[in-house]
Amino acid sequence: MNAPLSNQRIIVGVSGGIAAYKAVVLVRRLIEAGCEVRVVMTEAATRFVAPLSFQAVSGHPVRTTLLDAEAESGMDHIALARWADAVVVAPASANLMARLANGFADDLLTTLCLATSAPVHLAPAMNRQMWAHPATRANRDRLVEHGVTLLGPAAGAQACGETGEGRMLEPEVIVEAIVEALADALVANARPDLAGRHVVVTAGGTREPIDPVRFIANRSSGRMGFALAAEAARRGAAVTLIAGPSALPTPAGVERVDVETAAEMQAAVESIGAMDIFVGAAAVADYRVAAPADHKLKKSGETLSLELVPNPDIIRRVAERAERPFVIGFAAETDHVREYAAAKRVAKGMDLICANEVGAGKGFDRPDNALLLLWDGGEHELPQADKTRLAGEIFDTYHQITQD
Ligand code: C5P
């Protein structure tokens, strides 16, 4: 799926109403659209749908209480409020709207809505009389005055058996509205500081075939490279993303070339002429099988040896071009991170190397990472952060080094 967004962080707030079951589908659809989702439920919502359902679809524990010692020691409510690019409350009950309109912060969800600087969207869902009540109307007007966006409600048959205005919008319609709002915000907030540049990014791991059904691969998810491609596009660059096999959605405005092997990645990079910035974020296999079998290898009781031959070093070749771009590479190390990375930067002719420690749950296939950036005459330590944020810092560092 070619999702219009990637790496956008959404808090889905669920308040107590029968439409809460539809919020499970909403979370699902937001994730399919490329968003990262955390779910926060009111106490009443948990009577309608078990938090476990939301945990299963979002892939993260659900937060229900404000003063949860364990959760507060991890991402506390202020950190969660800052984390979000948008908050969507669906369903928003009459009670939730009343509390929000009056600035209550008597549970986690209302507190987050007060504490966040991200846009808040509400998808009201209630009986038509409740929606039409002057108290609800006043709350609605007040919320709109406070900058909250209302999505719906729709008119139609209601769970209470009545027909009228108050039905929650369908999850797909809510997702469409959110995606549009986020895309608009991205464009409005982007600094076009890479406008007019061609940025080429390699991402993901490669697959080196052994035979038609087996291959040698690695743990790279492609997330860092995809985040860099997305960030470069947001900053106005023309971006080519050369990606090893990855299920990640293509970031908006990025031209994607899918490859499998290191040789294919190499050929794809070579086919590109002028580039201003090259980012080698791919975990390219150092070796490939010398002669992959053209038929499925049969099992036998004997040991099997595979002859491996070195793959071309893609980033080094780019750095050796006569008209070389600014070259950014990565170093994933299990130990001696600084020394090994500094040596690798020089050996491969990179202008900037982004080093990180891998192994023991660090680095690969995670949405966040910590990086040490090294260049000729300087360094930056970037503490554990979301890969989107890191991508931004990497391009900021590029500007710092090149002073443009
Ligand atoms: O030597 P090592 O694999 O640790 O180097 C990592 C850096 O070099 C990364 O930026 C990676 O994308 C790049 N690389 C490459 N081609 C290779 C091996 C690594 O571009 N064959």
Side-chain angles (χ1 to χ4, degrees):
M1 177 183 164
N2 211 352
L5 286 174
S6 71
N7 301 315
Q8 290 296 293
R9 297 173 301 201
I10 317 272
I11 292 176
V12 172
V14 186
S15 65
I18 181 63
Y21 77 92
K22 289 192 190 173
V24 178
V25 181
L26 173 66
V27 171
R28 189 81 199 250
R29 299 279 177 265
L30 284 169
I31 291 171
E32 284 166 1
C35 300
E36 222 196 297
V37 177
R38 298 283 193 282
V39 178
V40 173
M41 301 175 79
T42 63
E43 168 62 28
T46 63
R47 312 277 177 90
F48 286 92
V49 181
L52 200 56
S53 300
F54 286 106
Q55 176 168 333
V57 288
S58 71
H60 293 277
V62 171
R63 299 276 303 265
T64 51
T65 53
L66 182 56
L67 303 170
D68 171 344
E70 202 177 307
E72 290 291 309
S73 68
M75 181 145 47
D76 65 36
H77 64 278
I78 298 295
L80 192 56
R82 287 196 188 124
W83 172 89
D85 292 310
V87 178
V88 187
V89 184
S93 64
N95 181 51
L96 191 276
M97 288 179 65
R99 290 193 292 135
L100 274 188
N102 290 287
F104 278 36
D106 55 353
D107 67 1
L108 179 60
L109 183 53
T110 48
T111 304
L112 284 172
C113 289
L114 277 189
T116 191
S117 59
V120 176
H121 304 260
L122 301 184
M126 65 197 75
N127 163 273
R128 67 184 176 90
Q129 299 280 13
M130 293 170 79
W131 177 248
H133 196 283
T136 308
R137 286 177 174 275
N139 290 334
R140 180 193 67 187
D141 293 347
R142 195 138 180 225
L143 286 165
V144 171
E145 228 171 79
H146 294 172
V148 165
T149 307
L150 288 183
L151 306 172
Q158 300 205 287
C160 51
E162 297 180 18
T163 303
E165 213 180 347
R167 269 171 69 96
M168 190 173 95
L169 291 185
E170 292 306 319
E172 289 74 12
V173 180
I174 298 175
V175 172
E176 213 171 289
I178 300 298
V179 164
E180 202 170 302
L182 284 169
D184 288 350
L186 282 177
V187 171
N189 296 336
R191 285 172 295 159
D193 56 8
L194 292 176
R197 319 278 162 90
H198 184 194
V199 176
V200 178
V201 181
T202 65
T206 61
R207 282 182 183 170
E208 306 300 329
I210 297 170
D211 68 16
V213 294
R214 304 181 181 96
F215 53 78
I216 299 172
N218 60 60
R219 291 188 186 279
S220 170
S221 65
R223 285 176 197 254
M224 190 68 237
F226 276 62
L228 280 154
E231 181 64 20
R234 271 201 287 279
R235 290 174 180 232
V239 183
T240 311
L241 171 65
I242 301 170
S246 170
L248 292 175
T250 309
V254 167
E255 189 194 323
R256 174 173 178 170
V257 180
D258 286 312
V259 296
E260 277 209 22
T261 64
E264 286 169 16
M265 188 172 277
Q266 161 81 3
V269 172
E270 298 279 286
S271 74
I272 298 173
M275 44 176 106
D276 299 289
I277 302 176
F278 178 79
V279 188
V284 186
D286 291 324
Y287 295 92
R288 67 178 181 278
V289 177
D294 57 9
H295 57 275
K296 186 179 169 195
L297 294 175
K298 285 288 168 216
K299 185 164 45 185
S300 78
E302 306 296 305
T303 57
L304 174 70
S305 299
L306 291 172
E307 191 190 348
L308 301 178
V309 293
N311 271 327
D313 195 314
I314 299 170
I315 202 164
R316 188 193 296 259
R317 291 214 196 162
V318 172
E320 283 167 0
R321 286 185 179 198
E323 302 232 339
R324 73 194 294 278
F326 186 90
V327 177
I328 304 175
F330 281 77
E333 309 287 353
T334 53
D335 55 301
H336 297 89
V337 176
R338 183 185 299 267
E339 296 91 302
Y340 289 166
K344 191 170 288 181
R345 187 186 76 75
V346 176
K348 296 197 183 214
M350 300 173 190
D351 297 291
L352 170 64
I353 194 161
C354 315
N356 66 311
E357 202 175 329
V358 290
K362 292 182 181 158
F364 285 133
D365 206 11
R366 292 178 50 108
D368 57 1
N369 204 356
L371 290 176
L372 172 66
L373 307 193
L374 300 173
W375 64 94
D376 188 10
E379 66 173 68
H380 265 168
E381 244 183 284
L382 306 180
Q384 194 79 14
D386 179 87
K387 287 179 178 173
T388 302
R389 299 281 138 109
L390 293 175
E393 307 238 24
I394 290 169
F395 287 118
D396 286 346
T397 305
Y398 154 79
H399 285 299
Q400 184 188 332
I401 299 170
T402 58
Q403 300 198 328
D404 81 348

